[in-house]
Amino acid sequence: MQKEISTKKIFSKLLEKFETISGENTFNCYQCGCCSAACPVASEMDLLPSQVMRYIQIGLTDEVLNGNTMWICATCYACQARCPRGIDIATVMETLRQIKLRKNEDWTVLGKIDVDELNKLPPIALISNLRKMTG
Amino acid sequence: MTENKNDKKIGVFVCHCGINIASTVDVDKLVEEFSKYSDVSHTENYKYMCSDPGQKLISAAIKKHKLNGLVIACCSPTLHENTFRRLSENSGLNAYLCEIANIREQCSWVHEDKTEGTKKAIKIVKTIVEKVRKNESLTPVEVPVTKKALVIGAGIAGMQAALDIADAGKKVILVEKSPSIGGHMAQLSETFPTLDCSQCILTPKMVDVAQNPNITLYTYSEIEDLEGCVGNFKVKIRKKARYIDEELCTGCGICVNKCPSKKALDEFNVELTTRPAIYVPFPQAVPNIPVIDKENCLFFQKDACRICEKVCGPKAIRFDQEDEFIEEEVGAIVVATGYDLLPITEMREYGYGKYKDVINGLQFERLLSASGPTEGEVRRPSDSKIPKDVVFIQCSGSRNPEYYKSYCSKICCMYASKHAMLYKHRVPDGHSYIFYIDIRSGGKGYEEFVQRAQEEENVVYLRGRPAKVYQEGDKMVVWGVDTLSGQQITIKADLVVLAQAIIPRNGVEELIKKLKIQTDEHGFLSEAHPKLRPVETNTSGIFLAGCAQAPRDIPETVAQASGSAAKALTLLSIDKIHHLPIVATVDEDLCSGCEICIGTCPYSAREIDEEKKIAIVNEVLCEGCGSCVSACPSSASQQKNFTDGQFEEMIKAILE
Ligand SMILES: Cc1cc2nc3c(=O)[nH]c(=O)nc-3n(C[C@H](O)[C@H](O)[C@H](O)COP(=O)(O)OP(=O)(O)OC[C@H]3O[C@@H](n4cnc5c(N)ncnc54)[C@H](O)[C@@H]3O)c2cc1C
Ligand code: SF4
Ligand code: SF4
């Protein structure tokens, strides 16, 4: 499928928000892929960490926010410890989770989640929920 | 003699520089302002003062109004000071009565608000008007030129520069730190993009250097000290003791064969092998004279052995030899100190150098080289097995501002291709993989070379920077990615070759301090202008060549070395150079003879006149740096056209 891109879509309010929360300049990433090479759980992701950076660079943020990468990310910092451009990728992942969770679509009452669902949920989703609006 | 303010007839010329100045500075307002000055006889503005019509209008005004001072408000003096001073001189006005007021770089380019910009421009021009009021006519100091050059470093860059200068009939002193000339090129196997044998094209040049009657070669030598300036440098060279009488040694090599101490790491083979304590770095070394490495010699360490002395036929061993000092005078200097590779021991993600089968590019060159430790058979260091899967990692330590070097080392894309290709030639059933981020193959025949590796030699290119290399049994596991397919990739390799970042030659900082030249933030030598003066340093008379300035390949190194040689020859082909007359002076009535200035002067231009007991200035040596002026406690030291009186007025003009 052809994706229409535009600078308007790229340099959006969302990008501004993303850069403010993460403290990173998106365009600092030069796509070496070292983060993806390092990531121990990348095989489960539908976009590699470096692809997440690339998608944001070309304004395909919906694809990123609807993808599973940020929920699979375990915040192990393997990427961040290696990025030659000093990008805090683990922080980028948390930023994406926060952007998603702050949309106010619903909210989570931890006690009400049933055990089956709890077992299926990626732990990072719960952690992010607890962090929601704290950072 | 300082002219009286009242007979000054100053001309103020304001340049628009197209819109470069005029868009942020009200050029009409400037004219209006300065026409109010009683001693400004003429002022006007023009679109491009440096253009022919612009220059003509200045020249006409000088003659018509009999101007005796000029202020050109325009761009930085580094660009057009010469133009306008020459114009001034040709129009009958001493060049040093013409000054530049920089209202572009220091004003219009850095401001946006026109009102503020105009105010600042007025202040800038005002200070220069104040200066010109008290400027004196000066005549440049004439200095004879010593018609000899010094070249530091005898890699391909230094050798080429020395040969060019020598072939033009000028004498050259060539100083090389290591025991032989040749530099890194001597270590290479075959060279991209034509794959010709490096030593085969290099050794004839080495012989040319050795045999050229105009070249005096000092190997195993270093610069101890440098004094003087352009046209007349005095250099002190330390010729380190080889512990061999060079006149007697025949280069037979028997000492090298018999030396029982064989544990030293061989520098030429990049520590892949060991060598004796007495050694010649490689068979074609120039000169073919051994050197004793004191740290590893049994005699120097344990007062034992002396076998070399016993076996040496012509009795050339001299354990009591000492370093020798040689003084030379030269007019120009070329610095060609080359490069080193970022040590593998710094590579955190690739094992900090603890794996034997993770090596650097130069080590791989030695494995490929017919003169190398394996005679050109690719065998890995750990167990001498022929590796069947070899991974090459580009940008190892380069383009990595976070942990290593931010710059691109420029040549690794090409030599990684070369390595993978040569490996396939040596081991046809082997597999080679290259991890790259971008391929930079700008150069004649370079892109075609990389294409050949991919299309004809079955080299597998993978786009991504590997995250980790570790050992598993006798394999080196590389964790990488191919960003093009979006796949994480693991390769179990027998050998990993890291294209380490090119860094300035180890220890070059000390030399740089002695030469008083500048480097960039990474330690590479700085050129005077990145585009227009690429082979000159900021210190006049000192030129640069090769990887000492930035990473580059052999063709570029050679071209640049010839460029430096041409610059040095230009200097050596004139009999006298003119030295800026902006030198220091001493007011005889004020000088107390305290001698403070003598120790302060970095150019040894000050001495005491024994009769008058006051300090005097040697104008030939004085560089006009002003150190003595600020050090003099009696204000007896002044710099011509930069006197305390002038500065006071200039500061007042700014503060008004
Ligand atoms: C693995 C590898 C493969 C390469 N393959 C190719 C190739 O195939 N084709 C190609 O075109 N280029 C290739 N190159 C690049 C090539 O090596 C350089 O372009 C070239 O050697 C630069 O020459 P140089 O004279 O500037 O530096 P160097 O070769 O480093 O020479 C500098 C010399 O100065 C001396 N020196 C240093 N400091 C001092 C001092 N203080 N006083 C006196 N002397 C001093 C050193 O001892 C040395 O002899 C390769 C580089 C590497 C790392
Ligand atoms: S490691 Fe850094 S620069 Fe490389 S792709 Fe990942 S985020 Fe971009
Ligand atoms: S004296 Fe030193 S250099 Fe000579 S043979 Fe013995 S160890 Fe080697």
Side-chain angles (χ1 to χ4, degrees):
Chain A
M1 195 188 63
Q2 292 259 337
K3 302 246 176 198
E4 195 181 329
I5 65 161
S6 67
T7 47
K8 212 171 132 211
K9 241 176 118 184
I10 297 172
F11 301 101
S12 61
K13 279 263 167 302
L14 190 61
L15 180 79
E16 230 172 78
K17 191 168 169 187
F18 168 77
E19 296 199 335
T20 311
I21 302 179
S22 67
E24 295 299 334
N25 179 337
T26 317
F27 302 94
N28 189 6
C29 167
Y30 67 170
Q31 287 296 305
C32 69
C34 197
C35 48
S36 300
C39 179
V41 288
S43 56
E44 304 302 319
M45 294 173 170
D46 41 28
L47 288 177
L48 296 174
S50 57
Q51 287 178 314
V52 163
M53 290 304 294
R54 186 63 194 152
Y55 272 52
I56 300 172
Q57 284 176 341
I58 60 171
L60 302 179
T61 26
D62 286 347
E63 282 80 347
V64 170
L65 290 173
N66 294 328
N68 75 357
T69 303
M70 61 198 184
W71 305 118
I72 300 290
C73 164
T75 322
C76 73
Y77 284 75
C79 52
Q80 193 154 322
R82 287 175 174 79
C83 175
R85 312 282 298 182
I87 299 175
D88 296 347
I89 338 256
T91 312
V92 162
M93 296 301 167
E94 175 63 10
T95 302
L96 294 169
R97 288 189 290 266
Q98 288 300 328
I99 288 176
K100 184 83 180 169
L101 292 172
R102 287 181 198 183
K103 281 200 170 150
N104 250 352
E105 281 166 13
D106 54 10
W107 78 74
T108 325
V109 179
L110 291 176
K112 289 194 178 158
I113 305 176
D114 75 48
V115 180
D116 272 356
E117 208 167 341
L118 207 54
N119 282 339
K120 274 190 255 158
L121 267 175
I124 199 73
L126 291 175
I127 297 167
S128 285
N129 250 304
L130 296 172
R131 278 196 205 130
K132 186 172 162 185
M133 301 298 188
T134 59
Chain B
M1 199 192 69
T2 313
E3 273 132 319
N4 184 324
K5 186 173 164 176
N6 296 329
D7 21 278
K8 269 294 179 197
K9 291 199 185 88
I10 300 173
V12 176
F13 298 86
V14 182
C15 181
H16 304 189
C17 192
I19 55 163
N20 273 299
I21 292 172
S23 64
T24 345
V25 170
D26 184 341
V27 286
D28 291 330
K29 184 101 190 263
L30 255 65
V31 168
E32 191 192 309
E33 175 72 21
F34 290 99
S35 54
K36 291 182 202 152
Y37 284 48
S38 62
D39 56 355
V40 172
S41 311
H42 182 75
T43 169
E44 66 182 298
N45 62 47
Y46 186 69
K47 202 157 189 188
Y48 293 109
M49 280 296 174
C50 61
S51 68
D52 204 37
Q55 294 197 43
K56 280 198 179 120
L57 76 85
I58 298 175
S59 180
I62 295 176
K63 288 171 193 156
K64 182 168 169 209
H65 302 283
K66 303 204 163 45
L67 299 180
N68 57 13
L70 279 192
V71 175
I72 320 284
C74 58
C75 54
S76 155
T78 55
L79 296 161
H80 276 304
E81 187 178 75
N82 265 341
T83 315
F84 294 118
R85 286 197 164 162
R86 212 180 305 127
L87 172 72
S88 178
E89 195 79 45
N90 293 341
S91 314
L93 184 65
N94 183 279
Y96 298 90
L97 299 175
C98 167
E99 294 283 354
I100 304 288
N102 180 355
I103 58 167
R104 193 179 73 177
E105 285 81 347
Q106 292 179 352
C107 186
S108 71
W109 274 359
V110 288
H111 298 296
E112 281 171 4
D113 184 297
K114 196 160 178 175
T115 320
E116 293 299 313
T118 308
K119 265 196 216 159
K120 181 166 165 188
I122 291 175
K123 286 204 165 181
I124 293 174
V125 179
K126 233 181 194 177
T127 57
I128 303 298
V129 170
E130 286 301 341
K131 179 169 192 305
V132 166
R133 279 179 177 152
K134 291 193 177 168
N135 263 14
E136 298 176 61
S137 296
L138 302 174
T139 335
V141 183
E142 269 194 353
V143 195
V145 176
T146 309
K147 308 227 163 194
K148 210 193 265 183
L150 166 71
V151 177
I152 308 171
I156 184 60
M159 282 167 40
Q160 183 65 44
L163 283 170
D164 284 0
I165 299 171
D167 288 345
K170 298 283 188 285
K171 298 277 179 209
V172 185
I173 313 290
L174 178 56
V175 176
E176 166 58 49
K177 185 173 168 177
S178 62
S180 170
I181 62 173
H184 284 106
M185 197 177 156
Q187 292 171 290
L188 305 183
S189 54
E190 293 164 33
T191 52
F192 63 75
T194 42
L195 296 189
D196 30 8
C197 151
S198 188
Q199 292 200 338
C200 309
I201 55 175
L202 178 74
T203 46
K205 271 201 194 288
M206 291 169 61
V207 175
D208 282 354
V209 168
Q211 293 178 346
N212 195 307
N214 281 337
I215 298 179
T216 310
L217 182 59
Y218 295 109
T219 51
Y220 209 46
S221 300
E222 281 178 64
I223 305 300
E224 183 74 11
D225 199 16
L226 184 87
E227 278 183 17
C229 61
V230 54
N232 297 283
F233 294 102
K234 279 199 188 72
V235 56
K236 191 167 168 193
I237 300 162
R238 176 193 286 267
K239 195 170 180 309
K240 292 174 281 184
R242 279 178 186 260
Y243 306 104
I244 311 285
D245 184 327
E246 295 183 28
E247 299 295 319
L248 296 180
C249 173
T250 58
C252 72
I254 190 161
C255 52
V256 177
N257 288 333
K258 300 284 183 203
C259 174
S261 163
K262 290 194 163 55
K263 285 202 212 98
L265 289 173
D266 188 333
E267 299 84 353
F268 189 73
N269 281 330
V270 206
E271 307 192 347
L272 287 173
T273 50
T274 55
R275 58 153 174 81
I278 184 166
Y279 70 104
V280 179
F282 55 104
Q284 303 97 317
V286 169
N288 181 26
I289 296 171
V291 47
I292 295 180
D293 153 16
K294 244 173 135 172
E295 307 302 303
N296 288 290
C297 166
L298 301 175
F299 169 71
F300 282 108
Q301 297 307 322
K302 298 187 182 145
D303 204 7
C305 187
R306 299 187 89 128
I307 288 176
C308 51
E309 196 178 38
K310 279 167 223 142
V311 297
C312 178
K315 299 282 164 242
I317 307 287
R318 293 281 176 278
F319 288 117
D320 60 353
Q321 200 173 54
E322 282 179 5
D323 291 0
E324 223 182 292
F325 293 94
I326 298 139
E327 297 201 0
E328 293 275 3
E329 289 187 12
V330 296
I333 300 175
V334 176
V335 190
T337 44
Y339 68 94
D340 268 327
L341 295 182
L342 181 73
I344 282 191
T345 47
E346 288 185 26
M347 303 311 297
R348 47 210 289 279
E349 63 272 47
Y350 304 144
Y352 286 114
K354 66 172 180 269
Y355 305 124
K356 275 193 159 172
D357 294 327
V358 177
I359 62 175
N360 73 24
L362 277 175
Q363 289 176 313
F364 197 65
E365 291 283 343
R366 296 313 300 146
L367 293 182
L368 290 170
S369 172
S371 72
T374 52
E375 292 176 346
E377 267 194 2
V378 180
R379 291 185 176 277
R380 64 180 198 172
S382 64
D383 54 11
S384 293
K385 274 196 199 138
I386 295 182
K388 288 296 161 70
D389 287 284
V390 183
V391 169
F392 299 89
I393 301 181
Q394 289 188 194
C395 301
S396 179
S398 299
R399 306 178 67 197
N400 189 331
E402 189 65 8
Y403 298 108
Y404 310 103
K405 306 291 169 191
S406 60
Y407 52 86
C408 162
S409 290
K410 197 169 181 183
I411 55 174
C412 329
C413 288
M414 290 308 296
Y415 79 61
S417 263
K418 174 184 79 171
H419 284 171
M421 228 188 258
L422 292 178
Y423 163 71
K424 294 281 285 187
H425 294 179
R426 306 282 198 280
V427 187
D429 62 340
H431 311 281
S432 52
Y433 309 86
I434 297 183
F435 278 102
Y436 71 101
I437 309 175
D438 300 291
I439 298 178
R440 297 176 172 177
S441 54
K444 211 170 171 174
Y446 285 16
E447 177 58 20
E448 292 84 341
F449 186 78
V450 175
Q451 282 305 320
R452 184 176 139 196
Q454 299 183 12
E455 288 168 22
E456 291 168 32
E457 313 262 4
N458 297 340
V459 176
V460 178
Y461 270 78
L462 298 161
R463 194 195 172 283
R465 183 196 285 276
K468 146 158 128 175
V469 174
Y470 61 94
Q471 193 161 17
E472 215 175 75
D474 70 343
K475 294 279 184 189
M476 296 310 308
V477 185
V478 181
W479 261 27
V481 66
D482 175 54
T483 60
L484 299 179
S485 60
Q487 295 301 315
Q488 280 190 317
I489 281 169
T490 311
I491 299 177
K492 293 198 168 141
D494 300 308
L495 182 67
V496 175
V497 184
L498 303 178
Q500 287 302 103
I502 302 273
I503 57 171
R505 172 67 185 232
N506 187 8
V508 79
E509 316 79 46
E510 274 169 38
L511 174 70
I512 284 163
K513 261 186 237 150
K514 287 174 191 159
L515 301 183
K516 301 189 190 80
I517 53 178
Q518 289 162 358
T519 63
D520 63 18
E521 74 224 86
H522 308 295
F524 290 111
L525 302 183
S526 297
E527 58 286 329
H529 189 284
K531 286 153 227 166
L532 301 178
R533 296 171 67 196
V535 300
E536 294 158 73
T537 66
N538 266 322
T539 307
S540 140
I542 304 187
F543 308 97
L544 37 82
C547 291
Q549 185 206 9
R552 50 171 53 97
D553 57 23
I554 299 164
E556 221 186 299
T557 297
V558 171
Q560 198 202 19
S562 288
S564 302
K567 281 282 170 195
L569 280 169
T570 312
L571 180 58
L572 301 185
S573 63
I574 42 183
D575 294 326
K576 291 207 161 95
I577 47 171
H578 295 287
H579 178 326
L580 266 191
I582 313 284
V583 291
T585 57
V586 178
D587 185 327
E588 295 197 2
D589 297 334
L590 296 180
C591 175
S592 64
C594 70
E595 301 191 14
I596 286 178
C597 55
I598 295 181
T600 311
C601 177
Y603 301 96
S604 313
R606 289 250 170 185
E607 54 192 333
I608 288 288
D609 179 327
E610 289 305 338
E611 255 173 47
K612 295 186 183 162
K613 303 278 179 231
I614 56 160
I616 49 172
V617 179
N618 180 338
E619 293 198 347
V620 171
L621 295 181
C622 173
E623 281 282 287
C625 71
S627 303
C628 54
V629 178
S630 46
C632 175
S634 333
S635 300
S637 249
Q638 291 294 328
Q639 201 170 330
K640 289 184 183 170
N641 284 357
F642 281 99
T643 60
D644 286 354
Q646 280 175 300
F647 279 124
E648 269 164 37
E649 296 303 324
M650 289 168 81
I651 292 168
K652 272 191 215 152
I654 296 178
L655 299 179
E656 253 172 30

